[in-house]
């Protein structure tokens, strides 16, 4: 029987090693998990990008609200908003495409925050108590007007101009809020706790009392020396509206 040459030995060893590697690889395929989760660093990176995107959007909306409130729609440019937000103009356009879309996004955000704040107060009271419901509305409206005086200014601007934007604002949620408050006023009148008067007129009397001081805060400061944003002044405005709207007792 001929002896194996070194080449033959090496060839056999290579085949054995190859079979061993194939078996080892097959074993790993049956024991290792088939799903490999994304690395934690990658997940953190995606979350950080989302957070940066949200933070950027908030900065733009805040700057836009200040500009639209001070200069109106026609007097505001997207470049002015970008400057106030301390970002580049192309980045602002990337997020909102146009001034019209930015205005709608800004006001939609304001109205949503207003309605959410009111609903949070209404959720904490008896739904069958119109006095409590109106107190919640008054408190929320005054506090929100102090935090966001631009809303009253922008509503006045758009109402004066009679543009499609005022229709969009009303249909976007303000009509529902108006109807809700008028229902509370009617219920309060039936219960004998709210003064007589057409509910819509009473509604706008409350809006005037609760919103005007904050939208003309500089005028109030110069004429009276009072800071309308001071906590004591806020409470005084709320109590004045209560005294106007509710029947004592």
């Amino acid at each position: 029987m001929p002896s194996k040459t070194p080449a033959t030995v090496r060839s056999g060893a290579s085949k054995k090693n190859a079979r061993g590697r194939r078996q080892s690889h097959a074993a790993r395929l049956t024991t290792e998990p088939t799903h490999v989760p994304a690395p934690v660093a990658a997940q953190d990176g995606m979350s950080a990008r989302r957070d940066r995107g949200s933070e950027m959007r908030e900065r733009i909306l805040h700057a836009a609200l200040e500009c639209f409130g001070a200069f109106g729609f026609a007097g505001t440019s997207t470049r002015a908003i970008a400057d106030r937000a301390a970002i580049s103009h192309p980045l602002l356009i990337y997020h909102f495409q146009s001034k019209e879309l930015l205005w709608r996004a800004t006001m939609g955000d304001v109205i949503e925050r207003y309605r959410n704040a009111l609903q949070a107060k209404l959720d904490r009271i008896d739904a069958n108590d119109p006095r409590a419901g109106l107190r919640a509305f008054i408190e929320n409206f005054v506090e929100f007007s102090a935090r966001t005086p631009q809303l009253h200014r922008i509503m006045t601007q758009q109402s004066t101009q009679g543009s499609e934007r005022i229709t969009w604002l009303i249909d976007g949620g303000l009509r529902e809020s108006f109807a809700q408050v008028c229902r509370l006023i009617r219920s309060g009148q039936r219960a004998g706790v709210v003064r007589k008067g057409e509910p819509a007129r009473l509604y706008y009397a409350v809006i005037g009392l609760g919103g005007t001081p904050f939208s003309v805060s500089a005028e109030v400061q110069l004429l009276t020396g009072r800071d309308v944003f001071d906590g004591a002044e806020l409470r005084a405005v709320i109590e004045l509206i209560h005294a106007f709207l509710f029947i004592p007792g």
Side-chain angles (χ1 to χ4, degrees), residues 153-185:
R153 295 169 188 156
I154 291 171
M155 291 296 297
T156 302
Q157 293 164 3
Q158 295 302 319
S159 293
T160 301
Q161 296 167 7
S163 70
E164 291 182 1
R165 293 181 201 95
I166 190 64
T167 303
W168 183 87
L169 282 169
I170 290 171
D171 291 341
L174 293 179
R175 188 186 302 279
E176 182 180 340
S177 178
F178 166 78
Q180 182 181 31
V181 175
C182 286
R183 285 195 297 270
L184 286 170
I185 291 173

Side-chain angles (χ1 to χ4, degrees), residues 52-63:
R52 285 195 297 272
S54 297
E55 189 271 339
M56 179 66 66
R57 178 182 172 84
E58 289 303 314
R59 279 173 56 189
I60 295 171
L61 291 177
H62 180 73

Side-chain angles (χ1 to χ4, degrees), residues 30-109:
T30 59
T31 58
E32 290 181 354
T34 56
H35 170 70
V36 179
V40 172
Q43 293 174 346
D44 289 346
M46 288 187 290
S47 177
R49 283 195 295 274
R50 284 195 297 269
D51 291 344
R52 285 195 297 272
S54 297
E55 189 271 339
M56 179 66 66
R57 178 182 172 84
E58 289 303 314
R59 279 173 56 189
I60 295 171
L61 291 177
H62 180 73
L65 181 63
E66 290 183 336
C67 289
F68 288 131
F71 310 115
F73 182 84
T76 297
S77 69
T78 52
R79 289 189 181 278
I81 295 170
D83 288 345
R84 185 174 285 264
I87 64 169
S88 70
H89 185 247
L91 184 57
L92 182 145
I93 296 301
Y94 170 80
H95 279 281
F96 292 99
Q97 290 80 57
S98 70
K99 183 168 75 168
E100 181 70 34
L101 290 177
L102 176 54
W103 185 90
R104 294 194 179 207
T106 300
M107 297 311 297
D109 177 68

Side-chain angles (χ1 to χ4, degrees), residues 212-214 216-228 233:
T212 302
F214 306 104
V216 296
S217 55
E219 176 186 329
V220 175
Q221 178 79 41
L222 290 170
L223 288 174
T224 69
R226 295 173 182 165
D227 177 8
V228 295
E233 281 298 312

